[in-house]
Amino acid sequence: MSNAHHRKKQPVLVRQQLLEVAARLAASEGMAAVTLDAVSAASSVSKGGLLHHFPTKNALLDALFESLLEKFDADIEELMRGDPLPQGRFTRAYLRAVSGLKERPDESRNWTQVTIALLAEPRLRLRWRQWVQARAEEYIGTDSSLDAHVVRFAADGLWFADTLESHDINGALRRDLIDRLVELTGK
């Protein structure tokens, strides 16, 4: 009898391991490298075990996106808890979470691949749009000013520039840019 029959089943841990392997593959080799066979091999989970958790590659990619989005939400919530000013609180947290990705290389690499996938995958774009709309509705009383919209669009531009590594926005320039954007959130 194989060890699989004697091993304690831990589906939550296995699922998380599969998502971590998928994220690592995406970050190091690109989204095209995230195949069911590659994730199975890199995780030492049988293909059947992988298919139990993620019956298709799309299901795996969707779950990877959702796990990153949950982490992003948690980062935003933590930043909001530390901000005593209600007006623009969500926008400031969004800006800081986006700009802070560059300082967290592993998370940034994961988001880089997912951001690129967002451009190509309609279902991921829809899910992102739903997230954006839900936050806009949730914070309509504090973050619906024109300046708050400008700051969030600027944050998205910064995110895109960081993803593409298209602009050298580092050091003092980056700090000054973020400080100026934060100023706008209080108006």
Side-chain angles (χ1 to χ4, degrees), residues 4-184:
H5 297 289
H6 297 289
R7 194 174 43 217
K8 184 177 179 183
K9 306 291 183 197
Q10 297 178 317
V12 173
L13 292 177
V14 171
R15 186 177 196 283
Q16 185 58 40
Q17 175 191 0
L18 292 167
L19 290 173
E20 288 170 6
V21 167
R24 200 168 45 247
L25 281 170
S28 65
E29 301 175 38
M31 290 302 269
V34 182
T35 65
L36 295 178
D37 287 333
V39 172
S40 174
S43 66
S44 300
V45 173
S46 70
K47 182 117 179 233
L50 171 66
L51 291 170
H52 171 75
H53 293 280
F54 307 106
T56 65
K57 179 179 176 177
N58 283 344
L60 176 62
L61 295 178
D62 290 346
L64 176 58
F65 180 73
E66 286 299 322
S67 72
L68 288 171
L69 201 52
E70 286 171 12
K71 171 73 172 105
F72 190 60
D73 262 332
D75 290 347
I76 289 173
E77 288 296 323
E78 183 178 332
L79 289 164
M80 288 178 65
R81 277 193 298 278
D83 185 341
L85 265 171
Q87 189 64 34
R89 182 182 293 147
F90 169 75
T91 300
R92 284 187 297 282
Y94 181 81
L95 170 64
R96 288 182 174 130
V98 165
S99 64
L101 285 173
K102 190 170 183 161
E103 298 158 15
R104 297 185 306 274
D106 288 341
E107 193 175 338
S108 180
R109 279 190 297 274
N110 294 341
W111 269 111
T112 294
Q113 291 304 318
V114 169
T115 302
I116 292 166
L118 278 169
L119 299 174
E121 295 292 335
R123 72 186 188 292
L124 294 180
R125 277 197 313 273
L126 174 62
R127 180 61 187 100
W128 178 251
R129 180 181 172 90
Q130 291 167 339
W131 183 89
V132 168
Q133 287 176 331
R135 296 311 165 278
E137 291 170 11
E138 184 175 357
Y139 300 107
I140 197 164
T142 58
D143 291 82
S144 60
S145 70
L146 178 60
D147 286 334
H149 282 84
V150 166
V151 170
R152 289 193 304 273
F153 280 119
D156 290 346
L158 182 61
W159 188 345
F160 198 62
D162 288 347
T163 297
L164 297 177
E165 298 176 347
S166 60
H167 296 72
D168 188 19
I169 308 171
N170 291 309
L173 175 61
R174 189 177 186 90
R175 283 189 303 277
D176 290 347
L177 175 65
I178 292 167
D179 289 347
R180 179 65 182 115
L181 292 169
V182 166
E183 284 177 27
L184 287 174

